[in-house]
């Protein structure tokens, strides 16, 4: 009986850490208003500062920008393969031109 109780107690204490383990939290930027100029940022900066953007999508943004010129609006990012309206909306407050 004691072992069951102990196991349950340990499980309950570990649940918050398990729930947070899957979240990407960059404490380096916690509490800071983050903006990134998509017309000047490197792929590494885009991947690091925009939510849901990894290196592959970040590089696609840079490649598109180099081929077609600067983005005129945040919405024009949807012209980049792999970037949809939901991703733009998720990052709207961070996107700077």
């Amino acid at each position: 009986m004691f072992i069951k109780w102990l196991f349950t107690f340990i499980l309950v204490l570990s649940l918050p850490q398990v729930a947070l383990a899957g979240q990407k939290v960059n404490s380096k930027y916690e509490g800071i208003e983050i903006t990134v100029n998509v017309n000047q940022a490197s792929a590494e900066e885009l991947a690091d500062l925009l939510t849901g953007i990894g290196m592959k999508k970040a590089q696609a943004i840079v490649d598109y920008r180099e081929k077609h010129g600067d983005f005129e609006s945040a919405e024009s990012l949807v012209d980049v393969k792999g970037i949809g309206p939901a991703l733009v909306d998720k990052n709207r407050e961070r996107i700077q031109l």
Side-chain angles (χ1 to χ4, degrees):
M1 178 70 171
F2 177 74
I3 292 179
K4 267 187 174 179
W5 180 84
L6 182 62
F7 177 74
T8 303
F9 181 73
I10 292 170
L11 182 63
V12 168
L13 288 178
S14 66
L15 283 177
Q17 286 122 1
V18 171
L20 290 175
Q23 295 180 0
K24 181 182 176 188
V25 178
N26 192 340
S27 61
K28 176 175 156 183
Y29 302 115
E30 192 172 322
I32 299 173
E33 187 176 322
I34 299 169
T35 59
V36 59
N37 187 323
V38 294
N39 288 325
Q40 296 178 352
S42 67
E44 292 81 13
E45 291 168 326
L46 292 169
D48 193 32
L49 299 174
L50 294 177
T51 304
I53 303 287
M55 276 305 296
K56 187 174 180 179
K57 288 181 183 177
Q59 189 59 54
I61 291 170
V62 171
D63 292 344
Y64 186 92
R65 180 181 73 205
E66 289 173 353
K67 184 175 182 180
H68 299 283
D70 287 351
F71 295 98
E72 294 183 15
S73 68
E75 289 76 21
S76 61
L77 283 166
V78 299
D79 295 334
V80 178
K81 185 177 179 179
I83 308 292
L87 199 53
V88 172
D89 286 342
K90 188 186 296 188
N91 288 287
R92 188 165 306 280
E93 292 184 13
R94 294 178 176 212
I95 296 171
Q96 198 177 52
L97 300 171

